[in-house]
Amino acid sequence: MNQLFRKKIYSESDKPTSLNRVLGVWDIVFFGLAAIIGAGSFSSLGEAIFRGGPGVISLYIICGVACGFTALSYAEFASRIPVAGSAYTYAYASFGELMAWIIGWALIMEYSFGNIYVAFSWSDYFTSFLERLGMHVPDYLSTSYPEARKAFENGSENRELINAWTTAPIVGGLKFIADIPALIINILITALVYIGIKESKNFNNILVILKIAVILLIIGIGAFYINTDNWSPLNREGIPSFIPNGFSGVMAAVSGVFFAYIGFDALSVLAEETKNPKKNLPRGMIISLVISTLVYIALTLILTGMVDYKKFDGIGDPLSFIFAPENSNLPWMEFIVSVTAILAITTVLLVFQMGQPRIWYAMSRDGLLPKRFSTIHQKYKTPGFATIITGIAVGVPILFTDKSFILDFTSIGTIFAFVLVNGGILLMPRKQKLKGRFHMPYVNSKYIFAPLFFTVAAGFYYWQPEFFHQLTHWSDPLEGEFRLSVCIYLLINVVLCYLSVTRNLSLIPLLGLTSCLYLLTGMTHNNWLWFGIWFAIGLLIYFFYGMKNSKLEQKLNGDLN
């Protein structure tokens, strides 16, 4: 049993890598902006607005606050443990081997499935752009098989999906339907990441500058087309409301909102390719998060002000949609946004595809995965084998999955990783302050956390009294599941209040922990079911391979040279 919870010690003398250290603080910022401001704004933002209405901005603020505290926890870990591996490495140092494997397995899911969704989004924008140029890609070559079948069986009004199913050629007795653009972009990005971090950095920085410039243009132009009445649409009772679908509707958008923040975790896997990571990595992570959150808040205000939130149902290109003829009718802006979206989503693919191999690399180096995953290409100085496997892991499921499933499945893994990072900091002993390094300020939560939690809870009560009056009505078909989740969340926080008083816990990671736990209340039982199945598979791999081949196990048995 002790083997499962043994911790890996990282010392100052560790020289663990032959990866190229070429990234400065602003390179980290640009990679952060590439990953965080991408599919979340150019694709999933539309679904989030449709579910939550204008009030979804409150969820972006909550996510921004949660990620702000989590950024400080990540930065503290990055300062202590400047090696590749992200939350996996941090969990190994704080929770022990079993939890490190669990979080590493979660990150594999997060990056692989996240990039599948991003590849689908890239394909949507790319094929739409080609249509504007007069080049038509057959519908059965620009969507996935399960998505087309589901649309046909459910009588969907999406003509492209229905057409894909009805016009697809028969090959070997089966309809041939595949998202070819998504597969092609996955292959190209995998090749770029395989070549090297320096080439990826330069390509990324150029695209990020262009993307930020166009987003600022969207905000500047869109501000002149805002109709403030759109911020107070009618709710179910016919009353103007900022949150027309209730707060449960806002929380139903958590997958679409939080999907944007997956890239934030990807930055910490670049520690071994960062110059002076104990200083540059924390700064880059925090700067990129602050900028990204402000951009999302501004974009949400613009989109919900320009167009009635109900019109965003099924819209996969919300930033170009607001300039369509039926809305503000600015075709030149619609064209610019479409082109930029292709480039923006490409940068997200790049960062995610860089993150995944480095998780394989770190786990393999610890013996939990076969040695091939930690081999470094002699010429390019990248984890070559792991990069190829990542391309396969993303490419194959593109043929068998659909966007809605991938979006929910990916977000729950991200939030779970953030929960463990904040919890890990609470378990780590305070360290001596050293000049030139990031140090999370220690604030004793003993007399702060409990009063703050109950004050915030009271504020939510007065904001949404009807929801709290029916908090224990778990059988309600619309909100019952969310109410049960909130009840569990409140009980967990009572325990945290007790621990804050008895253990003098650090306030900042404690606030990060409770805010991320709150975001998990928006997940449905289906999310948790598939999440559980994924981890069951991971545990089987660990107990049959990782536990026996762990470097810590070999050291204990004297088998490691």
Side-chain angles (χ1 to χ4, degrees):
M1 182 62 69
N2 289 336
Q3 176 183 352
L4 301 180
F5 300 102
R6 59 193 174 193
K7 302 175 182 179
K8 184 174 180 180
I9 306 300
Y10 297 87
S11 67
E12 291 294 317
S13 60
D14 287 342
K15 297 185 182 298
T17 186
S18 57
L19 297 172
N20 285 338
R21 292 192 181 274
V22 297
L23 303 179
V25 61
W26 285 104
D27 294 317
I28 297 297
V29 171
F30 274 72
F31 272 119
L33 296 178
I36 301 172
I37 304 176
S41 58
F42 286 92
S43 182
S44 64
L45 178 58
E47 180 67 19
I49 289 175
F50 173 71
R51 292 185 181 184
V56 79
I57 190 174
S58 62
L59 187 54
Y60 275 104
I61 294 173
I62 293 172
C63 287
V65 170
C67 290
F69 291 127
T70 305
L72 295 174
S73 292
Y74 263 104
E76 178 73 6
F77 264 130
S79 178
R80 291 178 185 239
I81 311 171
V83 297
S86 179
Y88 158 77
T89 299
Y90 306 157
Y92 216 153
S94 55
F95 291 110
E97 186 171 284
L98 177 60
M99 190 58 72
W101 170 267
I102 290 175
I103 194 61
W105 192 245
L107 291 171
I108 290 172
M109 177 194 73
E110 173 185 326
Y111 291 125
S112 295
F113 282 78
N115 239 7
I116 295 168
Y117 181 86
V118 177
F120 281 139
S121 298
W122 187 92
S123 176
D124 289 341
Y125 272 101
F126 183 70
T127 52
S128 296
F129 174 70
L130 291 181
E131 288 286 348
R132 290 187 176 93
L133 297 180
M135 293 179 282
H136 176 68
V137 178
D139 293 325
Y140 60 84
L141 294 181
S142 58
T143 190
S144 67
Y145 181 92
E147 199 163 9
R149 185 182 66 178
K150 185 189 298 183
F152 180 79
E153 292 176 349
N154 295 336
S156 172
E157 296 182 4
N158 190 311
R159 289 177 297 175
E160 289 79 8
L161 293 178
I162 298 297
N163 190 52
W165 183 262
T166 56
T167 62
I170 305 297
V171 179
L174 295 174
K175 289 181 178 292
F176 181 79
I177 302 175
D179 199 328
I180 300 302
L183 290 171
I184 291 175
I185 190 62
N186 172 61
I187 294 171
L188 294 176
I189 291 295
T190 300
L192 180 61
V193 174
Y194 185 86
I195 291 173
I197 186 73
K198 185 175 181 180
E199 291 75 10
S200 301
K201 177 194 76 171
N202 295 336
F203 177 72
N204 174 78
N205 289 355
I206 293 171
L207 294 186
V208 168
I209 292 172
L210 176 62
K211 175 173 62 177
I212 295 299
V214 172
I215 286 178
L216 292 177
L217 180 64
I218 292 171
I219 295 172
I221 298 295
F224 292 97
Y225 291 85
I226 287 177
N227 178 1
T228 55
D229 291 339
N230 287 330
W231 287 334
S232 301
L234 301 180
N235 61 15
R236 300 185 188 104
E237 289 75 34
I239 301 173
S241 174
F242 189 62
I243 49 172
N245 297 325
F247 204 69
S248 61
V250 172
M251 290 306 299
V254 69
S255 292
V257 171
F258 210 83
F259 180 79
Y261 290 95
I262 293 175
F264 170 59
D265 177 271
L267 298 182
S268 58
V269 306
L270 302 175
E272 292 182 32
E273 289 148 294
T274 301
K275 296 179 287 188
N276 192 6
K278 295 179 180 180
K279 182 178 180 180
N280 291 341
L281 195 58
R283 289 182 178 179
M285 293 168 72
I286 294 171
I287 293 171
S288 64
L289 177 69
V290 171
I291 294 174
S292 300
T293 302
L294 292 176
V295 166
Y296 273 116
I297 291 173
L299 282 176
T300 304
L301 285 172
I302 293 295
L303 267 65
T304 56
M306 289 181 65
V307 179
D308 185 340
Y309 83 97
K310 298 186 187 73
K311 292 184 178 181
F312 286 95
D313 184 15
I315 298 300
D317 54 347
L319 297 191
S320 61
F321 173 70
I322 60 177
F323 298 109
E326 66 269 27
N327 296 313
S328 58
N329 192 23
L330 295 176
W332 62 275
M333 275 297 296
E334 187 180 9
F335 179 81
I336 290 175
V337 173
S338 296
V339 174
T340 306
I342 296 172
L343 300 177
I345 296 176
T346 301
T347 64
V348 181
L349 282 164
L350 176 64
V351 175
F352 283 10
Q353 210 82 330
M354 287 176 59
Q356 171 78 52
R358 285 148 182 82
I359 299 298
W360 297 112
Y361 171 79
M363 296 177 74
S364 173
R365 193 170 55 186
D366 291 331
L368 302 182
L369 289 174
K371 291 182 180 179
R372 287 292 303 276
F373 286 95
S374 57
T375 55
I376 300 297
H377 195 283
Q378 291 185 352
K379 178 181 179 181
Y380 299 125
K381 301 300 181 183
T382 59
F385 178 78
T387 300
I388 293 173
I389 295 299
T390 296
I392 296 172
V394 173
V396 173
I398 284 175
L399 300 171
F400 306 107
T401 55
D402 61 83
K403 291 192 285 289
S404 59
F405 170 77
I406 292 298
L407 184 63
D408 290 340
F409 195 40
T410 307
S411 295
I412 191 172
T414 306
I415 302 174
F416 185 74
F418 285 13
V419 166
L420 288 183
V421 168
N422 285 295
I425 287 294
L426 293 174
L427 296 180
M428 296 285 280
R430 276 189 283 170
K431 70 178 187 293
Q432 180 183 0
K433 292 186 177 181
L434 298 175
K435 187 177 180 180
R437 294 193 190 178
F438 174 84
H439 296 277
M440 179 189 291
Y442 171 76
V443 180
N444 193 334
S445 64
K446 185 172 185 178
Y447 301 112
I448 301 176
F449 180 74
L452 180 62
F453 170 74
F454 286 109
T455 299
V456 172
F460 272 93
Y461 175 81
Y462 284 107
W463 183 30
Q464 294 289 313
E466 292 184 6
F467 175 80
F468 283 91
H469 290 161
Q470 302 175 3
L471 190 59
T472 57
H473 295 177
W474 302 335
S475 60
D476 184 275
L478 294 178
E479 298 190 354
E481 195 168 322
F482 176 58
R483 292 169 186 166
L484 175 59
S485 298
V486 171
C487 288
I488 296 173
Y489 170 76
L490 293 174
L491 289 175
I492 292 174
N493 273 272
V494 170
V495 175
L496 292 178
C497 288
Y498 171 78
L499 293 176
S500 70
V501 174
T502 58
R503 301 290 181 87
N504 296 321
L505 298 177
S506 178
L507 180 63
I508 292 175
L510 188 58
L511 291 174
L513 177 62
T514 186
S515 54
C516 288
L517 285 172
Y518 178 73
L519 294 176
L520 286 175
T521 62
M523 298 297 169
T524 67
H525 68 279
N526 284 329
N527 300 147
W528 288 108
L529 174 62
W530 285 106
F531 193 58
I533 291 174
W534 175 261
F535 275 112
I537 296 172
L539 288 175
L540 288 175
I541 296 175
Y542 172 73
F543 285 114
F544 280 99
Y545 181 88
M547 188 169 69
K548 295 184 295 182
N549 293 278
S550 164
K551 292 289 181 69
L552 292 184
E553 173 69 12
Q554 294 178 26
K555 281 185 178 181
L556 184 64
N557 295 330
D559 296 332
L560 191 64
N561 293 329

